[in-house]
């Protein structure tokens, strides 16, 4: 049975994936390699991914490639993405609109949460800042009653402020992460925690990319 509608013209090239089953945790990322087999003529393919659940973004590197080459598909899973198994189809389309595809199953493992604890949502979930400057995200907390916000794993030498520090159920806060001028460039997964008076907590991960001056 074809995975494409009957009106789609199939190309004479083919796609393959290096893994038929991909597993990723919420707040994490996974990479798969998509290979292509050339047809009877040189052609450039535009890559796309279909069937991704809400909260998962896809990036191809490169997004255009000559048939016969390969590309890396990186899947980034947001912290609020629901767990489950999702069929994902990858297609390559040439300039004439002909295409081929392959598929794999994507299993998302949702984070376990302590009963009665808070749930933490971030917007945005990632940001880039030059060393010596600040990044910002907005925190929304549901459940858990009144909670106190804190962070773990911020870059060394950085300063973090919350406005406000205590958030009531359904409330919001703004988090500022002020990096130091000598903060090394790189990607920092910063954990934002919301803990109530009973010690129950929820967390979310804010990805901070620090760039240095060139």
């Amino acid at each position: 049975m074809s995975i494409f509608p009957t009106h789609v013209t199939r190309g004479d090239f083919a796609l393959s994936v290096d893994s038929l089953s991909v597993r990723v945790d919420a707040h994490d990322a996974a990479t798969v390699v998509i290979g292509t087999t050339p047809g009877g003529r040189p052609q450039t393919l535009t890559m796309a991914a279909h069937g991704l659940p809400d909260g998962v973004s896809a990036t191809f590197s490169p997004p255009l490639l000559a048939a016969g080459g390969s590309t890396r598909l990186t899947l980034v899973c947001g912290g609020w993405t629901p767990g489950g198994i999702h069929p994902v189809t990858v297609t390559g389309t040439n300039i004439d609109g002909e295409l081929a595809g392959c598929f794999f199953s994507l299993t998302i493992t949702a984070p376990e949460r302590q009963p009665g604890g808070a749930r933490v949502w971030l917007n945005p979930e990632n940001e880039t800042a030059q060393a010596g400057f600040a990044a910002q995200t907005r925190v929304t907390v549901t459940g858990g009653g009144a909670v106190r916000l804190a962070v773990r794993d911020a870059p060394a030498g950085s300063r973090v402020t919350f406005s406000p520090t205590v958030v009531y159920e359904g409330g919001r806060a703004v988090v500022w992460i002020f990096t130091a001028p000598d903060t090394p460039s790189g990607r920092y997964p910063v954990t934002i925690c919301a803990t109530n008076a009973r010690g129950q907590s929820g967390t979310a991960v804010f990805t901070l990319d620090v760039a240095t001056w060139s």
Side-chain angles (χ1 to χ4, degrees), residues 43 57 98 100 114 191:
Q43 47 198 318
S57 63
E98 302 170 334
Q114 187 173 355
T191 301

Side-chain angles (χ1 to χ4, degrees), residues 77-134:
C77 183
W80 54 272
T81 304
I85 301 175
H86 308 270
V88 178
T89 301
V90 177
T91 59
T93 308
N94 65 16
I95 194 172
D96 298 318
E98 302 170 334
L99 81 162
C102 60
F103 65 93
F104 60 89
S105 66
L106 175 63
T107 302
I108 298 174
T109 304
E112 295 183 3
R113 301 186 183 273
Q114 187 173 355
R119 301 188 71 180
V120 182
W121 315 92
L122 304 178
N123 182 26
E125 294 183 334
N126 56 78
E127 192 168 280
T128 299
Q130 293 280 356
F133 286 78

Side-chain angles (χ1 to χ4, degrees), residues 4-129:
F4 306 116
T6 56
H7 65 275
V8 171
T9 302
R10 295 183 64 90
D12 61 350
F13 52 93
L15 269 61
S16 61
V17 60
D18 67 343
S19 177
L20 295 178
S21 179
V22 178
R23 182 179 296 273
V24 62
D25 294 332
H27 299 304
D28 209 344
T31 300
V32 294
V33 177
I34 307 298
T36 65
T37 302
R41 67 189 191 279
Q43 47 198 318
T44 299
L45 308 180
T46 301
M47 308 302 296
H50 312 272
L52 294 173
D54 291 341
V56 176
S57 63
T59 303
F60 289 93
S61 181
L64 300 174
L65 71 155
S70 62
T71 181
R72 296 174 66 87
L73 169 59
T74 300
L75 303 169
V76 179
C77 183
W80 54 272
T81 304
I85 301 175
H86 308 270
V88 178
T89 301
V90 177
T91 59
T93 308
N94 65 16
I95 194 172
D96 298 318
E98 302 170 334
L99 81 162
C102 60
F103 65 93
F104 60 89
S105 66
L106 175 63
T107 302
I108 298 174
T109 304
E112 295 183 3
R113 301 186 183 273
Q114 187 173 355
R119 301 188 71 180
V120 182
W121 315 92
L122 304 178
N123 182 26
E125 294 183 334
N126 56 78
E127 192 168 280
T128 299

